[in-house]
Amino acid sequence: LCAVGAGFVSFPIWYPLVGLTGRFVAVFHCFMATTLNACIFGSMAGLIGLICKTQLATAQIGEPFGNSMIVFSGVLIIKRFIKPYAIPFYYALPISYAFEIEVTSALEHKGDDGEEVMSYYGLHAGNRRRNYAVLSSMLVFWICVGYAVAKSTIGAIDGR
């Protein structure tokens, strides 16, 4: 439920930042990408919480995920400037796919200015289906991993 809320919260942020048009399709893509991203990170956070024994350990393990999300999202360091040995981190994080969906849906009908920004970041509106497929696959994967870990953790607590 909180992840869906993140989709609603993103619209007032995206609208003034990138001049998101009132086109329903652009708004829908921003909402869906943000919601999928929030669901994936929520699943990952729940998994970290299940694995760790204390809140301090959870915070210490969660911090590198938060930092890597910022550094390797493609916003702070553009993909073409990321060193080749660090590119797998870019592709492993869902935020990079959500970022491409959101930016391309906001800028694809902005004319030459929009095309210029998308080419600077190396983003392509044609990747949208692939990005949705990757985000959906990541969500299913993390839900399944979280379920397996929760089941084994509850089994260990119950003594089974």
Side-chain angles (χ1 to χ4, degrees):
L1 186 60
C2 290
V4 174
F8 285 113
V9 169
S10 70
F11 179 73
I13 295 170
W14 271 100
Y15 191 82
L17 245 118
V18 296
L20 187 62
T21 62
R23 292 179 32 244
F24 174 76
V25 174
V27 174
F28 176 75
H29 284 304
C30 286
F31 173 78
M32 288 302 297
T34 303
T35 302
L36 281 169
N37 188 48
C39 286
I40 293 165
F41 277 110
S43 299
M44 292 168 79
L47 180 64
I48 291 170
L50 281 171
I51 293 170
C52 297
K53 296 193 186 302
T54 66
Q55 290 99 352
L56 180 61
T58 303
Q60 289 172 338
I61 290 175
E63 181 60 28
F65 286 110
N67 285 340
S68 64
M69 179 179 74
I70 293 167
V71 172
F72 295 111
S73 66
V75 178
L76 188 61
I77 301 173
I78 299 167
K79 184 171 82 170
R80 68 175 178 259
F81 295 126
I82 297 174
K83 300 289 183 194
Y85 59 84
I87 282 288
F89 293 112
Y90 173 83
Y91 288 113
L93 292 171
I95 195 166
S96 57
Y97 301 98
F99 175 69
E100 185 168 13
I101 292 170
E102 292 167 349
V103 171
T104 57
S105 65
L107 299 178
E108 69 181 333
H109 296 290
K110 294 285 187 177
D112 291 338
D113 291 339
E115 291 296 324
E116 185 178 332
V117 172
M118 287 192 293
S119 75
Y120 176 76
Y121 281 102
L123 306 175
H124 307 284
N127 293 342
R128 195 170 295 140
R129 287 181 189 222
R130 178 208 65 187
N131 292 337
Y132 275 122
V134 170
L135 286 172
S136 300
S137 299
M138 284 182 171
L139 180 59
V140 169
F141 172 77
W142 285 110
I143 287 173
C144 291
V145 169
Y147 175 78
V149 169
K151 190 173 179 181
S152 68
T153 302
I154 291 170
I157 291 170
D158 289 344
R160 294 183 212 163

